[in-house]
Every structure is written in C-alpha cells, then in structure tokens.
Amino acid sequence: MIQDFLPISKQDMERRGWEQCDFVYVIGDAYVDHSTFGHAIISRVLEDAGYKVGIISQPNWKNPASIQALGTPRLGFLVMGGNMDSMVNHYSVTKKRRKSDAFTPGGAMGKRPDYATTVYCNLIRQRYPHTPIIIGGIEASLRRLAHYDYWSDSLKRSILLDSQADLALYAMGEKSIVEVADALNSGIDIHDITFVNGTVYRTKSLDNVYDYQLLPSYEALLDDKRKYAESFYVQYCNTDPYIGKRLVEGYERQGFVVQNPAQEPLTQSEMDHIYGLPYQRTYHPSYEALGGVAAIEEVKFSLTSNRGCFGGCSFCALTFHQGRIMQTRSHESIVNEASQMIWDENFKGYIHDVGGPTANFRAPSCEKQLTKGVCPNKQCLFPTPCKNLKVDHKDYLSLLRKLRELPKVKKVFIRSGIRFDYLVADKDETFFRELVEHHVSGQLKVAPEHVADPVLEMMGKPGNHVYKKFLDKYKRLNEKMGKNQFVVPYLMSSHPGSTLQEAITLAEYLRDLGYMPEQVQDFYPTPSTISTAMYYTGLDPRTMKSVYVPTDPHEKAMQRALIQYRNPKNYMLVKEALEKADRQDLIGFEKHCLIRPAGAHKGGGYQGKKPIAGKATGGKGDKTGGKPTGKTGGKSTGKSAGKPTGKTTPEQKPAPKKGWAKAKPSKKVSVGRKPMKKSDTAPKK
C-alpha cells in the first residue's frame, strides 16, 4: 500500500501505475485525509479492501466535464455532500448565507452547490448514464426517506429519487460499502444489490421484498402532517440493527424506496483497524497555496474514542446516523495514535479532545444492547436514568490517565462535551474530581440547553434540578481544590415547546447568574430529528400530542433577544416581548427587573450589572455542524480550555451564533405555530 494521498488527477493515477479507478469518490469538501472526515474513512476502508479509489473534490457543478477528471470508474461513483449537510454549511438558521466555509481551501464560499449530493449525482448522470452511483455521508443518510426541508419549507422526497442515485448508504457505512463493492466486483448488477444492511434502494415492485413494514406513501404525507409525525416515529423506532425492521415508502409514479435494517456496530477490533489505516492526517498539499483548510485545526490534535450516543436529545440526528449503541476504540489504539501525534512539529503539548458525540460514554448503556438492541420506545437517560443503565467512568478515566502520562503532553482537554446528567448519576466521584483537577482550564462547556422544564421535556433533556445538582457539585469540587473555574452552558432559544413565558424564565435565570451570553443558539430544524418533526407538524411524534412551535421570525427574534436582554440593541424586542407576555413587572428600577422603562437613561434602559467583560468563549456554529468527528456531522463542539474572566459565578459565557438580534419590532406579531386540531392536519389547497 502506497503511503500517500489518494489520486486526485490522471497524473497521480499514472504515478501509481493505474489505468482506471475502481471507484471515483466525488466530495463536497476539500480532500482532507484524516479519520474525522467521512470521505477519508470510506476511501481508506475501500483501499484496505483492495480497491483503487480516486478523489474528485468540489467539482465545478456548472461544468459537466469536471466530473470526468479521473475517467470512467470500473465499478462506480461514490458521492458525498460533505462532513456537514450542504445547506447547514451554507446558511445560518436565519437562512442568511454564511461568510466562510471551514471545509473549503482558504475558507472560500461557493465552491459547492446547495443540495450538493443531488447536484453532483445529476451532473454524473449527464456524462455517465449507466454507471452505478452510490451516495452516502450525513446529507444522504438523513434524507434517505421523505423528510422536512427547512430551507425550502417543504416535505421533500427521498434523496434517492431526486439525485437519480442507484443506492444510498446510511449511518457510518464501513461495513456496507465493502459489501457493496464486493458485490459489484463479483458481477452483480447495482439494481440487484438489495440485500446489504445499512442501504436504501429503489424498486418498482415489492414482490421480492420480505419482512417489511409499509409506511404511509409520500402523497399521503403531503396531505396530512399527522401521518408524517406517525411515519417519522416508526422510522425513529427502527434505527437499531438488531430489532429494526425493513421500511418501505411508496411513491405514486416512482414505485418504492426500501430502507434495509442498519449495519451492525463495529467491534472494538474493527474500529481499531479502521482508525489505524494510513491517513496522512492533514489536507492535500495542493491546498497550501490557497491558505489550507481550516477544519483540520479543530481536529488535528484530537482523538476519537467513541461513536454513537444513547443521550437521545430531540434536536440531535445521531440516532438516525450513528445510532444509540456505543462503539469504542481500545486504549492501545488511541494511545498509539496520540504517540504519533505528539511528535508533530506543531504540537504544543495540548491534546484538544478525547471523545466523540458524547465524551464520557465509553460503553453500551446496558448489557442487553449488543444482543437485543436498544429499547425502541424508551430512552436511557430521559426523563430519568433507566434502572438498567450502567454508570461507570472507570474506563474513560483510565484512558485519560494514560494520555496524561505521554511525553510532551501538558494537558488533555475534553471538547466534545460531557453529559452532566450521566456524570452526576455516578456515585463514584473519582472521575468528576479528576475532570476538575486535570481536564478543565478555566471553563467547562456543558449543554443544559434551557432551564424551563416544559422545554427540556420536548428536548429530551433532564429537568433543571439535575443541572443545578451538577453545578453545586462542580462548584464544591473547585472550591475544595482552590480553583477558580467556570461552567459555560450551551443555551437554545425557540425550540418547540418554548413560548415567550419559557423564554422569560430563561432570561430571569441569567439575570440571577449576573451575566449575559455573548452568543446564543437558535433552534435549527435540520433533517431527521424529533424536534424538526415537531417544528413541521406541531405534534410530538412520541406522544402525538400538540406542541407549541415558535415559527414566526419576529417571535424567534424576541425569544433570542430575551436571552441577551442586556444588549442595548435588543431593548425594543425585549420590551415588546415582556409586554406581549404580560410581564411588565420586569420593566422598572427594582433589582429583579430585566430592563428599565424606555428613556430612563441614555444607555437604553437596562437594569442590573454590566455584561461580563472579556473575550467570547463559546464555540461557533450550529448543533449540526462544528468539529468534524468522522460521523460526517453532529454536534458543534467548542473549546473547554480558556481563561476565567474574573467573575465568581459558577457559570460563564456560553456559545453559538448570530441570527435574529437585528430584527425590528412590528405592530402585528404572529407567535408561532399553534397546536393542530384534527381539522388542521391537511394543508390548505
């Protein structure tokens, strides 16, 4: 095996002595050969299986010839939109175009199209009408069946139909891609590859499909949002490889889309092998002159230790993509990677992260999951921890200790997030103690998301009393060790279930803490999450009960402004929100008031202390973006390191981004999507 980047040109192929690639991999990101990039993993896995893979990165979609750079592949094209959904990559939650793209050389925008997977596939079809096309990655995975698309505000068909691809791989795909490759290599027609787990295919007839559950047709979903909520929950309950059923979705003219059960989780030895493949651990050298690829900086000195998440947050798509069963690498595999990483000339002594979707999950939540699967209609941590939940940090703690002992390592941080409810459920305080002592430098980022229990219930998050318990313990341990460290909470506005009253409750909580977040995350409805289904239908798919959904941009602006009520730019929005919610008691000169009456002083009418000074410490990006983790999508992460800003509260500045603050108040305010009545389920013609 040649220890080098994979070919990106005919000249590269010639140097390897290749006349033809087995697969040509078309990707929406820059070519970064690192194990946190989905295209790097899949291409290296195929190479390890004996296949020749070439890379076409960010082709010019306006020029069909750009797709011909490596010639006709022997077995087929692979297509992936990028480590993020291309629409999340391009647009903020306010649907404004982002200014830079961390996955493109030099951060340039406009190097990939909207709905990149679909556009690339149609581009290929123009020049290669009969060559197999296989799609994968986060964009294909989360759009594999009919889905609500926030950017067009419509219910879209399966991406298989719009892209004209032959086969879709969902989830991580290492096992399924090799099975598909072997089938093609043995001479099986792409249209006959209907037997591979972790794939989705099209068929005109169900005569040869067995043991399946029929979902409502796409046309039925268009007519009745309630049916979409029901269909979505069936999909949600069938993401498990052990108990998940084969699902079929009908289309009036196109036949059927069939989703096979998920691929089985990787064993530890399989995961070790995949992460031990010869990645170059950086971007292709051709990008150097363009300024490099910024996304590598987030992960270059980080270590992936796990996959999957049994946390089950409603707004997270991990259940649909990586699944709820934890998969982990061995200590030896992780330490070996770290031992190579520390000799990089740019290594400064800091390992930025040891984790995955949730850092402190290192084993399945209970014994039965690896044989019987996860419970389809129960969660491990919500609303309270399951009685069968194993809470144990010993393995993770042991791993961190080994990494701390490596030469040249000054500090090991945890950036991918600590699940605080799992942490406080551990009766053994050893890990919590060492976390505070060794793995925090000023600030620890956690994600309570909100403080109002009605909203937390919709989010699938624990009640606020659990977060308070965590804060108390964190403060006690810091005081005991003589440390002055803070918690940085991720907070989210406008999630389904949040009225202006809940937004005000959050503002009052922040008032009592004595600080204002510099950045706030607004709920972003991305494909295939429970929260997005709520946003579209006004129903909680788990219970089919009506949910209040703030959809009006102006109300969302008010909810966001309430979290940053001390910002003078938000004064009119905050005042309008308080009046709208009949909370004029919070306008005045008393200590508990959020703002002063209009014109009370030159500064805009704000009550209380000044905002905390200092540099913003929150991570940027949406919940579906941020640091690449190999899952081709997932949580935004942000740093756990940083200097305290001199405030003595246990919490400090949170993260995410800009959005609604500039909206102007209007006289007429629509306050969200009302809960549906039975008569409201069908859209008006």
Side-chain angles (χ1 to χ4, degrees), residues 145-176:
L145 294 175
H147 55 280
Y148 172 69
D149 182 75
Y150 170 68
W151 302 273
S152 62
D153 191 24
S154 65
L155 192 70
K156 282 187 172 286
R157 307 185 302 173
S158 164
I159 193 171
L160 264 182
L161 302 179
D162 290 337
S163 68
Q164 301 186 69
D166 298 295
L167 199 64
L169 271 60
Y170 69 92
M172 300 301 286
E174 294 98 341
K175 289 186 176 182
S176 50

mmCIF file of all heavy atoms in Angstrom, residues 145-176:
data_model
loop_
_atom_site.group_PDB
_atom_site.id
_atom_site.type_symbol
_atom_site.label_atom_id
_atom_site.label_comp_id
_atom_site.label_asym_id
_atom_site.label_seq_id
_atom_site.Cartn_x
_atom_site.Cartn_y
_atom_site.Cartn_z
ATOM 1 N N LEU A 145 -35.260 8.938 3.456
ATOM 2 C CA LEU A 145 -36.700 8.808 3.200
ATOM 3 C C LEU A 145 -37.292 10.212 3.145
ATOM 4 O O LEU A 145 -36.572 11.204 3.290
ATOM 5 C CB LEU A 145 -37.357 7.971 4.305
ATOM 6 C CG LEU A 145 -36.927 6.489 4.377
ATOM 7 C CD1 LEU A 145 -37.551 5.806 5.581
ATOM 8 C CD2 LEU A 145 -37.288 5.745 3.096
ATOM 9 N N ALA A 146 -38.579 10.317 2.918
ATOM 10 C CA ALA A 146 -39.222 11.639 2.861
ATOM 11 C C ALA A 146 -38.887 12.421 4.122
ATOM 12 O O ALA A 146 -38.913 11.875 5.226
ATOM 13 C CB ALA A 146 -40.736 11.482 2.715
ATOM 14 N N HIS A 147 -38.580 13.704 3.970
ATOM 15 C CA HIS A 147 -38.084 14.494 5.099
ATOM 16 C C HIS A 147 -38.497 15.953 4.931
ATOM 17 O O HIS A 147 -38.642 16.454 3.808
ATOM 18 C CB HIS A 147 -36.561 14.399 5.180
ATOM 19 C CG HIS A 147 -35.884 14.807 3.900
ATOM 20 N ND1 HIS A 147 -35.779 13.965 2.807
ATOM 21 C CD2 HIS A 147 -35.297 15.980 3.519
ATOM 22 C CE1 HIS A 147 -35.159 14.591 1.828
ATOM 23 N NE2 HIS A 147 -34.858 15.820 2.222
ATOM 24 N N TYR A 148 -38.644 16.635 6.064
ATOM 25 C CA TYR A 148 -38.939 18.065 6.020
ATOM 26 C C TYR A 148 -37.645 18.823 5.749
ATOM 27 O O TYR A 148 -36.622 18.605 6.404
ATOM 28 C CB TYR A 148 -39.554 18.547 7.334
ATOM 29 C CG TYR A 148 -39.696 20.056 7.378
ATOM 30 C CD1 TYR A 148 -40.613 20.707 6.559
ATOM 31 C CD2 TYR A 148 -38.896 20.830 8.217
ATOM 32 C CE1 TYR A 148 -40.737 22.090 6.565
ATOM 33 C CE2 TYR A 148 -39.006 22.219 8.238
ATOM 34 C CZ TYR A 148 -39.930 22.838 7.409
ATOM 35 O OH TYR A 148 -40.037 24.207 7.414
ATOM 36 N N ASP A 149 -37.703 19.708 4.776
ATOM 37 C CA ASP A 149 -36.552 20.525 4.397
ATOM 38 C C ASP A 149 -36.828 21.975 4.804
ATOM 39 O O ASP A 149 -37.677 22.642 4.215
ATOM 40 C CB ASP A 149 -36.316 20.427 2.894
ATOM 41 C CG ASP A 149 -35.112 21.224 2.444
ATOM 42 O OD1 ASP A 149 -33.974 20.776 2.686
ATOM 43 O OD2 ASP A 149 -35.307 22.307 1.847
ATOM 44 N N TYR A 150 -36.114 22.430 5.798
ATOM 45 C CA TYR A 150 -36.336 23.750 6.390
ATOM 46 C C TYR A 150 -36.089 24.870 5.381
ATOM 47 O O TYR A 150 -36.799 25.883 5.372
ATOM 48 C CB TYR A 150 -35.409 23.893 7.596
ATOM 49 C CG TYR A 150 -35.319 25.266 8.205
ATOM 50 C CD1 TYR A 150 -36.409 25.840 8.864
ATOM 51 C CD2 TYR A 150 -34.128 25.992 8.162
ATOM 52 C CE1 TYR A 150 -36.316 27.094 9.453
ATOM 53 C CE2 TYR A 150 -34.023 27.238 8.756
ATOM 54 C CZ TYR A 150 -35.114 27.787 9.392
ATOM 55 O OH TYR A 150 -35.017 29.020 9.973
ATOM 56 N N TRP A 151 -35.096 24.716 4.522
ATOM 57 C CA TRP A 151 -34.672 25.804 3.654
ATOM 58 C C TRP A 151 -35.684 26.070 2.551
ATOM 59 O O TRP A 151 -35.812 27.203 2.091
ATOM 60 C CB TRP A 151 -33.282 25.480 3.092
ATOM 61 C CG TRP A 151 -32.318 25.274 4.217
ATOM 62 C CD1 TRP A 151 -31.587 26.237 4.873
ATOM 63 C CD2 TRP A 151 -32.031 24.039 4.869
ATOM 64 N NE1 TRP A 151 -30.861 25.658 5.878
ATOM 65 C CE2 TRP A 151 -31.105 24.314 5.906
ATOM 66 C CE3 TRP A 151 -32.453 22.724 4.682
ATOM 67 C CZ2 TRP A 151 -30.602 23.318 6.742
ATOM 68 C CZ3 TRP A 151 -31.958 21.738 5.512
ATOM 69 C CH2 TRP A 151 -31.037 22.038 6.534
ATOM 70 N N SER A 152 -36.387 25.054 2.094
ATOM 71 C CA SER A 152 -37.445 25.249 1.101
ATOM 72 C C SER A 152 -38.823 25.233 1.756
ATOM 73 O O SER A 152 -39.825 25.439 1.075
ATOM 74 C CB SER A 152 -37.387 24.151 0.035
ATOM 75 O OG SER A 152 -37.602 22.870 0.622
ATOM 76 N N ASP A 153 -38.866 24.980 3.066
ATOM 77 C CA ASP A 153 -40.110 24.861 3.827
ATOM 78 C C ASP A 153 -41.072 23.893 3.132
ATOM 79 O O ASP A 153 -42.226 24.204 2.863
ATOM 80 C CB ASP A 153 -40.778 26.224 4.008
ATOM 81 C CG ASP A 153 -41.927 26.168 5.030
ATOM 82 O OD1 ASP A 153 -41.911 25.274 5.895
ATOM 83 O OD2 ASP A 153 -42.831 27.018 4.944
ATOM 84 N N SER A 154 -40.553 22.705 2.840
ATOM 85 C CA SER A 154 -41.370 21.723 2.131
ATOM 86 C C SER A 154 -40.990 20.309 2.559
ATOM 87 O O SER A 154 -39.919 20.083 3.125
ATOM 88 C CB SER A 154 -41.185 21.864 0.617
ATOM 89 O OG SER A 154 -39.863 21.538 0.246
ATOM 90 N N LEU A 155 -41.884 19.379 2.272
ATOM 91 C CA LEU A 155 -41.594 17.964 2.517
ATOM 92 C C LEU A 155 -40.989 17.397 1.240
ATOM 93 O O LEU A 155 -41.649 17.307 0.210
ATOM 94 C CB LEU A 155 -42.872 17.212 2.882
ATOM 95 C CG LEU A 155 -42.663 15.802 3.439
ATOM 96 C CD1 LEU A 155 -42.049 15.860 4.835
ATOM 97 C CD2 LEU A 155 -43.976 15.036 3.484
ATOM 98 N N LYS A 156 -39.723 17.024 1.311
ATOM 99 C CA LYS A 156 -39.019 16.522 0.134
ATOM 100 C C LYS A 156 -39.078 15.001 0.051
ATOM 101 O O LYS A 156 -39.213 14.314 1.062
ATOM 102 C CB LYS A 156 -37.556 16.981 0.155
ATOM 103 C CG LYS A 156 -37.349 18.430 -0.280
ATOM 104 C CD LYS A 156 -35.871 18.746 -0.390
ATOM 105 C CE LYS A 156 -35.649 20.117 -1.009
ATOM 106 N NZ LYS A 156 -35.911 20.118 -2.455
ATOM 107 N N ARG A 157 -38.926 14.495 -1.160
ATOM 108 C CA ARG A 157 -38.878 13.054 -1.387
ATOM 109 C C ARG A 157 -37.551 12.481 -0.895
ATOM 110 O O ARG A 157 -36.610 13.229 -0.576
ATOM 111 C CB ARG A 157 -39.007 12.761 -2.881
ATOM 112 C CG ARG A 157 -40.208 13.398 -3.544
ATOM 113 C CD ARG A 157 -40.343 12.956 -4.991
ATOM 114 N NE ARG A 157 -39.167 13.250 -5.812
ATOM 115 C CZ ARG A 157 -39.015 12.838 -7.065
ATOM 116 N NH1 ARG A 157 -39.961 12.113 -7.632
ATOM 117 N NH2 ARG A 157 -37.935 13.148 -7.751
ATOM 118 N N SER A 158 -37.465 11.163 -0.874
ATOM 119 C CA SER A 158 -36.185 10.513 -0.609
ATOM 120 C C SER A 158 -35.131 11.060 -1.558
ATOM 121 O O SER A 158 -35.379 11.260 -2.751
ATOM 122 C CB SER A 158 -36.309 9.001 -0.817
ATOM 123 O OG SER A 158 -35.033 8.405 -0.915
ATOM 124 N N ILE A 159 -33.936 11.282 -1.024
ATOM 125 C CA ILE A 159 -32.839 11.821 -1.837
ATOM 126 C C ILE A 159 -32.474 10.874 -2.973
ATOM 127 O O ILE A 159 -31.934 11.291 -3.997
ATOM 128 C CB ILE A 159 -31.610 12.125 -0.955
ATOM 129 C CG1 ILE A 159 -30.597 12.972 -1.724
ATOM 130 C CG2 ILE A 159 -30.990 10.838 -0.416
ATOM 131 C CD1 ILE A 159 -29.453 13.489 -0.865
ATOM 132 N N LEU A 160 -32.796 9.586 -2.845
ATOM 133 C CA LEU A 160 -32.531 8.634 -3.928
ATOM 134 C C LEU A 160 -33.239 9.034 -5.219
ATOM 135 O O LEU A 160 -32.710 8.861 -6.322
ATOM 136 C CB LEU A 160 -32.993 7.232 -3.524
ATOM 137 C CG LEU A 160 -31.964 6.265 -2.943
ATOM 138 C CD1 LEU A 160 -32.619 4.926 -2.657
ATOM 139 C CD2 LEU A 160 -30.767 6.090 -3.859
ATOM 140 N N LEU A 161 -34.448 9.562 -5.082
ATOM 141 C CA LEU A 161 -35.244 9.911 -6.260
ATOM 142 C C LEU A 161 -34.748 11.194 -6.903
ATOM 143 O O LEU A 161 -34.579 11.261 -8.124
ATOM 144 C CB LEU A 161 -36.715 10.037 -5.880
ATOM 145 C CG LEU A 161 -37.345 8.788 -5.242
ATOM 146 C CD1 LEU A 161 -38.798 9.056 -4.882
ATOM 147 C CD2 LEU A 161 -37.245 7.589 -6.190
ATOM 148 N N ASP A 162 -34.513 12.210 -6.098
ATOM 149 C CA ASP A 162 -34.087 13.494 -6.666
ATOM 150 C C ASP A 162 -32.661 13.437 -7.210
ATOM 151 O O ASP A 162 -32.321 14.166 -8.144
ATOM 152 C CB ASP A 162 -34.205 14.603 -5.619
ATOM 153 C CG ASP A 162 -35.650 14.947 -5.304
ATOM 154 O OD1 ASP A 162 -36.518 14.670 -6.155
ATOM 155 O OD2 ASP A 162 -35.922 15.476 -4.212
ATOM 156 N N SER A 163 -31.820 12.597 -6.624
ATOM 157 C CA SER A 163 -30.423 12.529 -7.051
ATOM 158 C C SER A 163 -30.208 11.598 -8.240
ATOM 159 O O SER A 163 -29.166 11.666 -8.892
ATOM 160 C CB SER A 163 -29.544 12.053 -5.890
ATOM 161 O OG SER A 163 -29.824 10.693 -5.583
ATOM 162 N N GLN A 164 -31.152 10.692 -8.488
ATOM 163 C CA GLN A 164 -31.019 9.647 -9.512
ATOM 164 C C GLN A 164 -29.921 8.639 -9.168
ATOM 165 O O GLN A 164 -29.420 7.922 -10.053
ATOM 166 C CB GLN A 164 -30.747 10.235 -10.901
ATOM 167 C CG GLN A 164 -31.816 11.194 -11.403
ATOM 168 C CD GLN A 164 -31.544 11.617 -12.830
ATOM 169 O OE1 GLN A 164 -31.650 10.830 -13.775
ATOM 170 N NE2 GLN A 164 -31.168 12.879 -13.007
ATOM 171 N N ALA A 165 -29.521 8.587 -7.902
ATOM 172 C CA ALA A 165 -28.538 7.593 -7.479
ATOM 173 C C ALA A 165 -29.178 6.207 -7.475
ATOM 174 O O ALA A 165 -30.403 6.067 -7.415
ATOM 175 C CB ALA A 165 -27.994 7.938 -6.098
ATOM 176 N N ASP A 166 -28.334 5.178 -7.514
ATOM 177 C CA ASP A 166 -28.826 3.802 -7.521
ATOM 178 C C ASP A 166 -28.964 3.227 -6.121
ATOM 179 O O ASP A 166 -29.822 2.376 -5.868
ATOM 180 C CB ASP A 166 -27.871 2.911 -8.325
ATOM 181 C CG ASP A 166 -27.780 3.345 -9.776
ATOM 182 O OD1 ASP A 166 -28.808 3.250 -10.477
ATOM 183 O OD2 ASP A 166 -26.706 3.789 -10.189
ATOM 184 N N LEU A 167 -28.131 3.693 -5.215
ATOM 185 C CA LEU A 167 -28.077 3.114 -3.874
ATOM 186 C C LEU A 167 -27.623 4.179 -2.902
ATOM 187 O O LEU A 167 -26.754 5.005 -3.236
ATOM 188 C CB LEU A 167 -27.088 1.938 -3.866
ATOM 189 C CG LEU A 167 -27.169 0.899 -2.744
ATOM 190 C CD1 LEU A 167 -28.509 0.147 -2.798
ATOM 191 C CD2 LEU A 167 -26.009 -0.093 -2.876
ATOM 192 N N ALA A 168 -28.207 4.193 -1.704
ATOM 193 C CA ALA A 168 -27.765 5.105 -0.645
ATOM 194 C C ALA A 168 -27.264 4.287 0.530
ATOM 195 O O ALA A 168 -27.882 3.290 0.904
ATOM 196 C CB ALA A 168 -28.910 6.015 -0.203
ATOM 197 N N LEU A 169 -26.136 4.722 1.083
ATOM 198 C CA LEU A 169 -25.637 4.141 2.328
ATOM 199 C C LEU A 169 -25.970 5.109 3.444
ATOM 200 O O LEU A 169 -25.718 6.317 3.322
ATOM 201 C CB LEU A 169 -24.120 3.944 2.268
ATOM 202 C CG LEU A 169 -23.605 2.617 1.718
ATOM 203 C CD1 LEU A 169 -24.073 2.396 0.296
ATOM 204 C CD2 LEU A 169 -22.081 2.569 1.792
ATOM 205 N N TYR A 170 -26.577 4.603 4.524
ATOM 206 C CA TYR A 170 -26.835 5.480 5.660
ATOM 207 C C TYR A 170 -26.005 5.036 6.849
ATOM 208 O O TYR A 170 -25.445 3.944 6.864
ATOM 209 C CB TYR A 170 -28.321 5.552 5.987
ATOM 210 C CG TYR A 170 -28.965 4.315 6.560
ATOM 211 C CD1 TYR A 170 -29.056 4.124 7.942
ATOM 212 C CD2 TYR A 170 -29.553 3.360 5.733
ATOM 213 C CE1 TYR A 170 -29.685 3.006 8.482
ATOM 214 C CE2 TYR A 170 -30.185 2.246 6.254
ATOM 215 C CZ TYR A 170 -30.246 2.067 7.634
ATOM 216 O OH TYR A 170 -30.876 0.964 8.166
ATOM 217 N N ALA A 171 -25.914 5.916 7.839
ATOM 218 C CA ALA A 171 -25.046 5.714 9.001
ATOM 219 C C ALA A 171 -23.586 5.777 8.547
ATOM 220 O O ALA A 171 -23.265 6.373 7.533
ATOM 221 C CB ALA A 171 -25.383 4.428 9.725
ATOM 222 N N MET A 172 -22.691 5.127 9.288
ATOM 223 C CA MET A 172 -21.260 5.304 9.045
ATOM 224 C C MET A 172 -20.777 4.580 7.794
ATOM 225 O O MET A 172 -19.942 5.074 7.067
ATOM 226 C CB MET A 172 -20.471 4.861 10.266
ATOM 227 C CG MET A 172 -20.829 5.649 11.519
ATOM 228 S SD MET A 172 -20.550 7.417 11.338
ATOM 229 C CE MET A 172 -18.773 7.483 11.408
ATOM 230 N N GLY A 173 -21.250 3.366 7.546
ATOM 231 C CA GLY A 173 -21.096 2.761 6.235
ATOM 232 C C GLY A 173 -19.855 1.951 5.942
ATOM 233 O O GLY A 173 -19.693 1.479 4.813
ATOM 234 N N GLU A 174 -18.943 1.743 6.907
ATOM 235 C CA GLU A 174 -17.726 0.995 6.578
ATOM 236 C C GLU A 174 -18.002 -0.450 6.167
ATOM 237 O O GLU A 174 -17.400 -0.958 5.219
ATOM 238 C CB GLU A 174 -16.742 0.986 7.764
ATOM 239 C CG GLU A 174 -16.178 2.327 8.118
ATOM 240 C CD GLU A 174 -16.901 2.983 9.262
ATOM 241 O OE1 GLU A 174 -18.057 2.583 9.548
ATOM 242 O OE2 GLU A 174 -16.335 3.894 9.882
ATOM 243 N N LYS A 175 -18.907 -1.100 6.885
ATOM 244 C CA LYS A 175 -19.213 -2.494 6.544
ATOM 245 C C LYS A 175 -20.014 -2.572 5.247
ATOM 246 O O LYS A 175 -19.732 -3.401 4.372
ATOM 247 C CB LYS A 175 -19.990 -3.155 7.685
ATOM 248 C CG LYS A 175 -19.157 -3.424 8.928
ATOM 249 C CD LYS A 175 -19.964 -4.203 9.949
ATOM 250 C CE LYS A 175 -19.111 -4.552 11.159
ATOM 251 N NZ LYS A 175 -19.855 -5.349 12.170
ATOM 252 N N SER A 176 -21.003 -1.716 5.111
ATOM 253 C CA SER A 176 -21.883 -1.796 3.946
ATOM 254 C C SER A 176 -21.165 -1.417 2.657
ATOM 255 O O SER A 176 -21.430 -2.007 1.602
ATOM 256 C CB SER A 176 -23.135 -0.939 4.152
ATOM 257 O OG SER A 176 -22.805 0.360 4.575
#
